[in-house]
Amino acid sequence: MTFFNPRLAMAALCVAVLALSAPAARAQSGEVRPPEQSGQTDAAKDRQKVDELAEAARVLNGAAGNAECVWLGRRVVSLLWRDDLDTAFRHLDLYDRFGCPGAYIQATFRCLVRQGNIDPKAQETLHGRIHACWLNPGLPPKPQEAAAQSPAAAASGTTSR
């Protein structure tokens, strides 16, 4: 009595082919990243965060320069900018619980708003602008070049009909 089943053999062959070809297909599509690349980028980001926290501790006096206050405070300001008020208020509760100065959030957000909208084509990011305002909430507003150019464009004589 033989137990050779052609259907079972064909199914086993298909499973083996699929199992061997799936990792190669993922590698070709770029889905799998080598572990050393992701580790290097994570390490660079961590170094940048540590450098920013150390810079804030060096520049700012008092609790606003503490690492937990810097991290939570910048996150609150970012959430406020993005209109995620519920999450911002939850983070603000943590910020207050750590004994961080609440007025510093207000001053930093005021600075951020005074700087105007971020041009999506510009290299400046929201994170960078928040960091600059956190270190110096009294930054002067940036000149609005687009606002200065719009009256000149209106006076160019073009009208809509």
Side-chain angles (χ1 to χ4, degrees):
M1 185 169 173
T2 55
F3 291 104
F4 180 73
N5 187 347
R7 287 185 187 172
L8 185 61
M10 185 58 87
L13 180 64
C14 289
V15 168
V17 168
L18 287 174
L20 293 174
S21 65
R26 279 194 306 246
Q28 287 177 352
S29 68
E31 188 176 321
V32 177
R33 281 195 305 185
E36 65 274 354
Q37 285 181 346
S38 64
Q40 289 173 353
T41 58
D42 290 344
K45 287 180 183 178
D46 288 344
R47 251 183 274 117
Q48 180 185 6
K49 286 179 186 177
V50 169
D51 291 344
E52 288 176 354
L53 295 175
E55 179 184 10
R58 189 178 72 255
V59 171
L60 300 173
N61 294 327
N66 293 345
E68 64 275 12
C69 295
V70 173
W71 189 84
L72 281 168
R74 291 188 329 189
R75 185 171 285 258
V76 168
V77 171
S78 174
L79 291 166
L80 288 172
W81 179 263
R82 294 179 180 147
D83 292 330
D84 189 357
L85 299 179
D86 292 334
T87 309
F89 288 139
R90 286 196 302 267
H91 280 75
L92 193 56
D93 288 340
L94 285 172
Y95 183 82
D96 291 337
R97 187 165 293 185
F98 279 107
C100 302
Y104 210 80
I105 296 285
Q106 182 180 1
T108 303
F109 189 68
R110 180 182 301 125
C111 170
L112 184 65
V113 170
R114 290 177 60 205
Q115 299 299 315
N117 287 332
I118 296 176
D119 182 15
K121 296 178 183 174
Q123 288 188 348
E124 181 184 29
T125 63
L126 176 62
H127 177 78
R129 193 179 283 186
I130 290 173
H131 180 67
C133 282
W134 189 267
L135 294 178
N136 183 9
L139 279 177
K142 291 190 175 185
Q144 299 295 331
E145 296 171 1
Q149 292 174 356
S150 61
S156 67
T158 58
T159 59
S160 60
R161 294 183 187 190

